[in-house]
C-alpha cells in the first residue's frame, strides 16, 4: 500500500532513550508514521499520488509539542481581561485599569491579571483601585494566580469572615480591616461572585488560543482547570466536549478538574483517560484531579521545610514564615483516595520542598495503579533526599522551565543558599530516570513553549538585569533531553503510547522549524527561544503553514 505522504530532509524522530534519532525520511499512512529511515528506502513505498514535503537545507522536522500544564480555558478568558504582565509600576497598572473602567458599562466587573508585588515594590490595595475605578467591583489576579487584588465593592460582596479561611490568608491593616489582597483559598471568597463568560465566548476564545498554540508547534495540552470553583463541571468541560464533538477543537486537550468537582465527575461518569464528549475520535479527554498542597513563591505562600529569608521591608508573621498549606497531608490523602476510587488520577500542585515531600508521600501508593501517571506540578524546590522518589514511585515531576526566568531573582532572595542548591533541579531529576513533562502554566506565563525550552538548556533569561549570573548551570539539560520533556514525557504522563516521537506507529504530528533552532548555540533570546514553526501537521494533515 503506497504512502499518503513522504517527508524528506533532516528529521528528529526522538527514537530510543536518548539523542535526536535523526533520519532522512518518514512515510505517513492513515495519519500515522508508517516508516522512518533513509530517503532511498522510503522512496520505493511512494507512488505518483503520494503527497511530498521536501525540507529545505535550513529546515528540520521534530515531533509535535505537548504543553503539560496550560490553563487553556483560563488563557482564553485572560485575552478579555486587563493585562498587567508588562506594567512596570503600580502607577502604570492603575492607568490601564482606569482606562478599562471607563470603557465598561455600569455594573460590570473589572477583571485583570499579571500584577507582581516584587515588580511594583509593594502590595496593591483596595484604596488604589478605588482611586481609578470608584465603586466598581474589581478582581485582578496576581502574576502567579495565587493572590487576588479586590476592590472595596468586591470585598463587601464577599462578606469576609473575621478570621482567615482554611488554606487562605487575607492581608489586613493594623486595625484588622482587609487591605485588598487575598491569598490562596481566600481568593474564592471573591472569585465565586465573578460571572463566568458565556459558553459561546469561552468556545471562541479556546479556538483562538488553540489555533495560536498550533502555530507555535503545540499539538496537545493538559489543562489543570480554572481559578474559580466549578463543583458541577459546568464551565470548561462542556465547552471542550462541544468543540470536540463538532471537530472544532484545534489541539488535543486533557481537561482536568479541581478537587471540589470530583464527586460531580464520578456521578457524570467521567474517568481519567476517557473521551470527553460523544465523539470516540474527538480531541478532548478527561485528565486528572488537581489538588493544591501549598501556594506560590511570589506570594510567599510556598510550604517550606525551613523559614523563608527575612525581608525587612515586609516582614512575615511567624505563622507564615514557612508558607501556607492550602491542603495538608491528611486532606491530600483523602482527596487522592476518593478520586482513585472513581477511576480518576491526581496531580498535586506543590512548589515548596515541604509540599513536594508531602505530595510524594501521598501519591506513592498510586504510582502503579493510577489510570494516568500521578503528577506533582511545579516542583520548584526539592530537598535532595526526595530527588530519587519520583522515578522510584512512578510519579511524574511536571515542571515549567519558563518560571525560572520570572522567579530567579525572587527565589535567590526568598530561599537564600537553598535557592540554587535545591531550586529548579531539573538535571538531577532527569538523571534519576523520572518522567518530567514540560509546560508553560499559561496564562501565568506566555504559552509560547520555546523560551522555556531555551531556559531549560541555558538557565539564563534576557529579561534579567545585566550581570545577573546563570542560575545553577550544573542543572542545565541537554537540548535533546529538554525537547523530549516537551514531546515524549508529557505524552507518557498521560499514558499515551502513540504520541511524542516520529517512529513507526506513532501519530504523524510533525513540526517543521528552522534548523538554527537546534544547530545554533542556545543563548538568551537566540534562535531556539524565538523559534517559529513553518509547517505543522496533526495526524498527517497540514494544520498550519507559513
Amino acid at each position: 500500500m503506497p504512502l499518503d505522504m513522504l517527508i524528506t530532509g533532516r528529521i528528529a524522530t526522538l527514537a530510543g532513550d536518548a539523542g535526536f534519532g535523526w533520519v532522512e525520511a518518514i512515510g505517513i499512512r492513515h495519519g500515522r508514521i508508517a516508516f522512518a529511515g533513509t530517503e532511498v528506502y522510503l522512496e520505493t513505498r511512494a507512488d505518483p499520488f503520494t503527497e511530498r514535503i521536501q525540507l529545505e537545507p535550513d529546515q528540520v522536522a521534530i515531533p509535535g509539542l505537548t504543553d503539560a500544564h496550560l490553563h487553556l480555558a483560563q488563557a482564553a478568558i485572560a485575552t478579555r481581561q486587563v493585562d498587567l504582565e508588562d506594567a512596570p509600576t503600580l502607577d502604570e497598572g492603575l492607568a490601564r485599569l482606569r482606562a478599562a473602567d471607563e470603557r465598561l458599562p455600569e455594573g460590570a466587573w473589572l477583571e485583570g491579571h499579571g500584577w507582581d508585588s516584587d515588580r511594583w515594590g509593594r502590595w496593591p490595595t483596595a484604596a488604589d483601585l478605588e482611586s481609578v475605578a470608584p465603586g466598581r467591583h474589581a478582581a485582578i489576579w496576581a502574576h502567579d494566580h495565587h493572590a487576588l487584588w479586590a476592590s472595596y465593592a468586591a470585598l463587601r460582596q464577599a462578606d469576609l469572615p473575621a478570621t482567615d479561611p482554611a488554606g487562605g490568608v487575607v492581608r489586613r491593616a493594623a486595625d484588622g480591616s482587609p487591605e485588598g489582597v487575598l491569598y490562596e483559598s481566600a481568593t474564592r471568597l471573591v472569585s465565586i461572585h465573578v460571572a463566568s463568560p458565556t459558553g459561546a465566548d469561552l468556545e471562541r476564545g479556546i479556538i483562538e488560543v488553540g489555533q495560536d498554540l498550533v502555530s507555535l508547534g503545540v499539538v496537545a495540552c493538559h489543562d489543570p482547570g480554572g481559578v474559580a470553583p466549578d463543583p458541577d463541571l459546568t464551565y470548561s468541560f462542556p465547552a471542550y466536549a462541544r468543540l470536540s464533538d463538532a471537530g472544532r477543537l484545534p489541539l488535543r486537550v486533557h481537561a482536568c478538574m479541581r478537587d471540589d468537582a470530583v464527586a460531580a465527575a464520578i456521578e457524570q461518569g467521567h474517568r481519567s483517560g476517557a473521551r470527553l464528549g460523544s465523539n470516540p475520535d474527538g480531541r478532548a479527554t478527561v485528565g486528572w484531579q488537581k489538588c493544591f498542597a501549598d501556594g506560590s513563591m511570589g506570594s510567599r505562600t510556598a510550604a517550606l521545610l525551613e523559614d523563608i529569608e527575612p525581608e525587612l521591608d515586609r516582614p512575615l508573621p511567624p505563622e507564615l514564615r514557612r508558607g501556607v498549606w492550602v491542603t495538608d497531608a491528611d486532606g491530600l490523602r483523602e482527596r487522592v483516595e476518593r478520586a482513585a476510587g472513581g477511576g480518576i488520577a491526581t496531580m498535586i500542585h506543590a512548589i515548596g520542598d515541604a509540599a513536594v515531600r508531602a505530595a510524594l508521600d501521598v501519591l506513592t501508593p498510586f504510582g502503579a495503579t493510577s489510570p494516568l501517571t500521578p503528577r506533582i506540578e511545579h516542583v520548584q524546590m526539592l530537598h535532595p533526599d526526595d530527588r530519587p522518589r519520583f522515578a522510584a514511585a512512578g510519579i511524574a515531576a511536571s515542571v515549567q522551565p519558563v518560571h525560572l526566568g520570572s522567579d530567579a531573582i525572587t527565589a535567590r532572595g526568598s530561599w537564600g543558599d537553598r535557592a540554587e542548591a535545591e531550586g529548579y533541579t531539573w538535571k538531577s531529576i532527569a538523571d534519576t530516570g523520572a518522567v518530567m513533562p514540560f509546560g508553560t502554566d499559561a496564562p501565568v506565563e506566555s504559552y509560547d513553549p520555546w523560551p522555556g525550552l531555551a531556559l531549560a538548556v541555558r538557565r539564563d533569561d534576557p529579561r534579567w538585569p545585566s550581570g545577573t549570573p546563570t542560575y545553577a548551570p550544573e542543572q542545565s539539560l541537554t537540548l535533546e533531553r529538554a525537547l523530549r520533556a516537551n514531546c515524549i514525557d508529557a505524552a507518557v504522563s498521560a499514558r499515551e503510547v502513540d504520541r511524542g516521537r516520529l517512529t513507526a506507529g506513532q501519530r504523524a504530528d510533525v513540526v517543521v522549524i528552522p534548523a538554527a533552532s537546534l544547530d545554533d548555540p542556545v543563548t538568551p533570546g537566540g534562535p531556539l527561544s524565538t523559534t517559529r514553526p513553518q509547517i505543522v501537521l496533526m495526524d498527517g494533515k497540514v494544520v498550519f503553514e507559513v
Side-chain angles (χ1 to χ4, degrees):
M1 184 181 296
L3 298 172
D4 298 327
M5 179 180 288
L6 176 62
I7 302 176
T8 56
R10 290 181 63 207
I11 301 168
T13 65
L14 302 187
D17 295 329
F20 287 101
W22 294 108
V23 299
E24 295 177 344
I26 53 174
I28 298 171
R29 184 185 296 147
H30 302 316
R32 294 181 180 268
I33 305 298
F35 303 96
T38 65
E39 182 176 355
V40 171
Y41 176 73
L42 266 72
E43 188 63 47
T44 63
R45 283 162 168 74
D47 69 9
F49 299 101
T50 298
E51 186 177 355
R52 297 168 185 268
I53 296 178
Q54 171 67 56
L55 302 184
E56 299 295 331
D58 62 349
Q59 293 178 321
V60 295
I62 63 172
L65 278 60
T66 296
D67 190 316
H69 193 110
L70 191 165
H71 304 265
L72 177 56
Q74 195 68 39
I77 292 172
T79 61
R80 304 164 52 248
Q81 299 175 343
V82 182
D83 186 357
L84 304 178
E85 195 69 41
D86 60 351
T89 64
L90 173 60
D91 286 344
E92 170 61 24
L94 290 172
R96 296 184 190 184
L97 292 168
R98 183 194 300 275
D101 173 72
E102 292 172 351
R103 295 191 299 268
L104 284 175
E106 184 178 351
W109 279 74
L110 174 60
E111 298 180 69
H113 63 94
W115 60 268
D116 185 340
S117 63
D118 289 305
R119 188 190 333 134
W120 286 356
R122 71 170 174 88
W123 295 99
T125 66
D128 294 323
L129 283 172
E130 193 69 14
S131 70
V132 297
R136 176 78 67 181
H137 286 75
I140 318 295
W141 287 100
H143 163 78
D144 59 10
H145 281 65
H146 284 263
L148 185 67
W149 176 21
S151 66
Y152 286 131
L155 293 172
R156 284 193 295 271
Q157 185 169 355
D159 191 21
L160 299 182
T163 58
D164 292 341
V169 177
V170 178
R171 283 188 66 84
R172 300 180 188 274
D175 62 0
S177 61
E179 288 187 343
V181 170
L182 304 91
Y183 305 107
E184 307 308 337
S185 66
T187 62
R188 297 187 178 192
L189 299 171
V190 168
S191 65
I192 59 173
H193 298 291
V194 182
S196 297
T198 65
D201 285 344
L202 180 58
E203 290 172 30
R204 185 163 46 249
I206 289 171
I207 291 172
E208 291 172 357
V209 174
Q211 290 172 338
D212 202 22
L213 283 163
V214 170
S215 76
L216 291 167
V218 178
V219 300
C221 75
H222 304 161
D223 182 348
V227 294
D230 183 26
D232 299 321
L233 291 177
T234 58
Y235 171 55
S236 62
F237 268 48
Y240 286 137
R242 287 192 295 267
L243 290 173
S244 180
D245 287 347
R248 300 173 64 212
L249 193 57
L251 73 169
R252 301 183 182 91
V253 177
H254 270 69
C256 303
M257 68 204 77
R258 294 298 168 90
D259 52 14
D260 62 358
V262 167
I266 294 173
E267 182 179 346
Q268 294 172 25
H270 296 306
R271 301 293 183 268
S272 291
R275 293 292 174 192
L276 187 57
S278 59
N279 183 356
D281 298 317
R283 289 177 172 171
T285 307
V286 180
W288 293 255
Q289 165 190 222
K290 170 76 176 293
C291 300
F292 286 82
D294 65 347
S296 73
M297 186 194 64
S299 294
R300 304 334 188 244
T301 51
L304 305 172
L305 293 171
E306 299 178 25
D307 284 2
I308 196 172
E309 294 295 306
E311 296 178 276
L312 298 179
D313 57 335
R314 47 180 179 180
L316 291 170
E319 67 272 16
L320 295 180
R321 290 174 189 166
R322 295 196 178 187
V324 172
W325 286 95
V326 177
T327 312
D328 63 19
D330 289 340
L332 291 172
R333 185 171 293 105
E334 177 186 342
R335 287 161 172 77
V336 173
E337 290 175 350
R338 178 186 59 190
I344 297 173
T346 296
M347 57 170 63
I348 298 178
H349 165 112
I351 285 180
D353 49 4
V356 174
R357 177 170 291 178
L360 284 165
D361 291 343
V362 169
L363 290 177
T364 290
F366 300 90
T369 59
S370 179
L372 305 179
T373 304
R375 293 184 4 183
I376 298 179
E377 305 301 306
H378 309 306
V379 197
Q380 288 180 230
M381 178 174 275
L382 177 64
H383 193 280
D385 291 349
D386 294 322
R387 288 175 188 168
R389 298 181 62 189
F390 288 92
I395 298 170
S398 172
V399 302
Q400 301 76 45
V402 71
H403 281 328
L404 178 58
S406 301
D407 294 348
I409 295 172
T410 303
R412 282 169 164 149
S414 296
W415 294 342
D417 293 339
R418 294 185 297 154
E420 293 184 66
E422 302 179 21
Y424 313 91
T425 52
W426 306 321
K427 185 176 186 301
S428 293
I429 296 172
D431 286 348
T432 68
V435 174
M436 189 173 62
F438 276 3
T440 60
D441 203 9
V444 173
E445 304 277 1
S446 165
Y447 49 68
D448 181 351
W450 302 100
L453 275 165
L455 261 163
V457 177
R458 177 72 186 189
R459 310 279 291 193
D460 198 353
D461 193 287
R463 295 173 292 175
W464 295 350
S466 177
T468 303
T470 303
Y471 195 103
E474 69 278 5
Q475 292 293 339
S476 295
L477 297 175
T478 63
L479 177 51
E480 63 88 10
R481 181 62 185 91
L483 195 60
R484 285 169 176 268
N486 243 143
C487 297
I488 300 172
D489 289 33
V492 167
S493 76
R495 310 282 198 211
E496 294 176 304
V497 298
D498 64 347
R499 292 203 315 104
R501 307 177 195 264
L502 298 179
T503 54
Q506 296 278 288
R507 290 184 178 273
D509 296 342
V510 186
V511 178
V512 177
I513 60 175
S517 299
L518 303 187
D519 294 342
D520 285 11
V522 178
T523 57
L528 177 61
S529 64
T530 57
T531 294
R532 289 296 177 267
Q534 294 148 342
I535 304 174
V536 178
L537 286 77
M538 290 182 64
D539 292 325
K541 299 184 184 302
V542 175
V543 292
F544 172 78
E545 187 171 9
V546 175

